Amino acid sequence: MDSAKIENETQRGRIRSALVEGLGFRFPKGTPEDEARKRLNRICDDLAYLSDEGIRRVVGALRTKGEGGSRCFWPDRATFLAYAELAESRPLEEAPGVASWFASAAGREAVAEDRLVAEFLFWEKKKKPPLLAGEKRAVAEQAAAFRSQARRARANKACGRPPVLDDQEFLVWYEDLERRATALVEAGRRGTAI
């Protein structure tokens, strides 16, 4: 068994243990055992990114969210995903399809127009691209503000001037986001996007 498969099984087991022990839900009578296992495995795999504290929060929030008249059946997968996102946002790099979007024409346009970081933040918050005119305008305005602050911070640093306000912290934060977003673009270009 390769190490990736072992890691996946370990994460799945960690989540399964927390969910089964913490929630104690069951599937409706007549649910085939293999179907129940597959559904629970998929939920566990979806939540594997959560820290122990994140999974504790999800379990706490879902204790009263069982389905059925007695509220004893497993909730839908979407319910788990929603509460997991509230408890601990999934890293954008792990979201399926994101890197391929960043590698598409829309991603290349974001790079060309120097709004990659602003789009990355929009995606991180909304888990979707900015498609509406108002969303695109807000991203463009945010990108312009970022460019201005980054330019000022870099110029002050290059000249040896002391940072203005929180420019140094901003620059570290901004360059980290820029690195992460660029890595998504590159992963998409190489065809290694998830």
Side-chain angles (χ1 to χ4, degrees), residues 52-102:
D52 289 343
E53 175 61 19
I55 194 63
R56 188 191 64 73
R57 288 180 187 163
V58 170
V59 167
L62 289 175
R63 279 196 177 107
T64 59
K65 307 300 185 286
E67 294 185 355
S70 299
R71 300 266 187 224
C72 63
F73 298 134
W74 286 101
D76 287 333
R77 176 176 169 258
T79 303
F80 281 93
L81 295 176
Y83 279 95
E85 188 66 28
L86 290 172
E88 188 176 314
S89 187
R90 183 180 195 149
L92 199 54
E93 293 88 344
E94 294 180 20
V98 172
S100 60
W101 184 89
F102 275 91

Side-chain angles (χ1 to χ4, degrees), residues 83-136:
Y83 279 95
E85 188 66 28
L86 290 172
E88 188 176 314
S89 187
R90 183 180 195 149
L92 199 54
E93 293 88 344
E94 294 180 20
V98 172
S100 60
W101 184 89
F102 275 91
S104 73
R108 289 189 300 275
E109 184 179 298
V111 171
E113 295 178 11
D114 198 14
R115 56 182 163 74
L116 186 62
V117 172
E119 289 214 13
F120 182 88
L121 287 174
F122 185 91
W123 264 95
E124 198 167 55
K125 182 176 181 182
K126 305 282 188 176
K127 299 297 191 253
K128 72 176 196 77
L131 298 173
L132 303 175
E135 294 170 340
K136 289 180 179 183

Side-chain angles (χ1 to χ4, degrees), residues 22-194:
L23 297 173
F25 293 134
R26 61 185 178 87
F27 288 99
K29 187 176 180 179
T31 302
E33 190 175 323
D34 63 328
E35 180 185 329
R37 185 178 60 254
K38 284 179 188 175
R39 287 174 53 195
L40 195 52
N41 282 349
R42 187 168 184 206
I43 290 168
C44 291
D45 291 345
D46 287 334
L47 305 186
Y49 77 91
L50 290 170
S51 66
D52 289 343
E53 175 61 19
I55 194 63
R56 188 191 64 73
R57 288 180 187 163
V58 170
V59 167
L62 289 175
R63 279 196 177 107
T64 59
K65 307 300 185 286
E67 294 185 355
S70 299
R71 300 266 187 224
C72 63
F73 298 134
W74 286 101
D76 287 333
R77 176 176 169 258
T79 303
F80 281 93
L81 295 176
Y83 279 95
E85 188 66 28
L86 290 172
E88 188 176 314
S89 187
R90 183 180 195 149
L92 199 54
E93 293 88 344
E94 294 180 20
V98 172
S100 60
W101 184 89
F102 275 91
S104 73
R108 289 189 300 275
E109 184 179 298
V111 171
E113 295 178 11
D114 198 14
R115 56 182 163 74
L116 186 62
V117 172
E119 289 214 13
F120 182 88
L121 287 174
F122 185 91
W123 264 95
E124 198 167 55
K125 182 176 181 182
K126 305 282 188 176
K127 299 297 191 253
K128 72 176 196 77
L131 298 173
L132 303 175
E135 294 170 340
K136 289 180 179 183
R137 189 172 38 259
V139 166
E141 290 168 3
Q142 184 70 72
F146 285 161
R147 273 193 307 276
S148 175
Q149 190 170 359
R151 193 176 305 121
R152 181 182 69 226
R154 288 176 179 137
N156 286 339
K157 186 177 180 180
C159 293
R161 288 190 292 256
V164 176
L165 300 172
D166 63 346
D167 276 353
Q168 193 56 42
E169 292 83 13
F170 167 80
L171 197 54
V172 169
W173 171 82
Y174 180 80
E175 288 175 347
D176 179 59
L177 288 178
E178 189 173 47
R179 179 191 52 75
R180 290 173 61 199
T182 301
L184 284 174
V185 171
E186 292 305 316
R189 285 183 184 156
R190 287 190 311 269
T192 58
I194 54 172

Side-chain angles (χ1 to χ4, degrees), residues 4-21:
K5 187 166 176 89
I6 292 170
E7 173 67 19
N8 187 43
E9 289 298 323
T10 303
Q11 289 291 6
R12 182 184 287 170
R14 178 180 71 91
I15 301 299
R16 180 186 295 274
S17 175
L19 294 180
V20 172
E21 291 172 16

